[in-house]
Amino acid sequence: MRDSLWARVSDREGGIVAQYLQEFPVRLGALATELGIDVFRSPLPPNISGLIKPSDTADSGYEIRVNKYEVPSRQRFTLAHEIAHFLIHKDDIRAGVVDSVMYRSALTSRKEAEANRLAADLVMPADLVQAELHARGGS
């Protein structure tokens, strides 16, 4: 978590994320829950991979919906992408951010690229990947 994007994550939320980045695979659902985000696998239109919005059921908090018709690995990255929006673009979520299958939304391309970068860090933390490579005889 040395990247400048991580510097934009609050200390409290960064501390929570850091705990989850110690174990591979990262338990993204549990991470979302601890961050106060409800996660649902939902029937979404074929051109929509996921969304994050303020929760319909809670006074505070957020909900993420991932398209249940997409393959599990895609759902996993979508979940990480939406968590990334929560961590670094919370002020932009307002009524919600809906991400297409190309991870495009009403947010700028720069913000979508930032969410993709952070999502990659969540799905494959560099320290854990390096340790696994080393354990398997790689460099």
Side-chain angles (χ1 to χ4, degrees):
M1 293 188 2
R2 297 177 279 280
D3 187 293
S4 64
L5 289 175
W6 287 106
R8 293 167 37 194
V9 176
S10 76
D11 289 342
R12 183 189 79 75
E13 291 166 350
I16 293 169
V17 171
Q19 292 174 354
Y20 283 87
L21 295 184
Q22 301 303 310
E23 180 184 342
F24 191 77
V26 175
R27 296 178 311 124
L28 295 175
L31 169 60
T33 298
E34 191 160 342
L35 289 169
I37 306 168
D38 294 324
V39 178
F40 303 96
R41 291 178 60 244
S42 300
L44 298 174
N47 62 327
I48 303 298
S49 285
L51 61 91
I52 184 169
K53 65 179 189 160
S55 178
D56 289 336
T57 58
D59 292 334
S60 61
Y62 292 82
E63 66 183 55
I64 290 173
R65 295 190 178 273
V66 295
N67 193 330
K68 76 178 203 169
Y69 300 120
E70 293 185 336
V71 298
S73 57
R74 175 69 179 205
Q75 290 177 31
R76 182 170 172 75
F77 189 83
T78 298
L79 176 55
H81 179 92
E82 302 306 338
I83 290 170
H85 278 314
F86 172 83
L87 292 170
I88 59 174
H89 302 136
K90 202 175 292 148
D91 292 341
D92 295 313
I93 294 173
R94 294 182 183 92
V97 174
V98 177
D99 283 300
S100 73
V101 294
M102 297 300 292
Y103 295 113
R104 304 288 191 271
S105 71
L107 298 181
T108 65
S109 294
R110 178 184 59 83
K111 288 184 179 182
E112 288 301 334
E114 290 172 349
N116 281 340
R117 172 72 176 106
L118 221 60
D121 288 348
L122 291 172
V123 171
M124 295 190 65
D127 291 345
L128 294 178
V129 171
Q130 280 299 104
E132 185 65 23
L133 282 173
H134 182 71
R136 294 175 182 261
S139 51

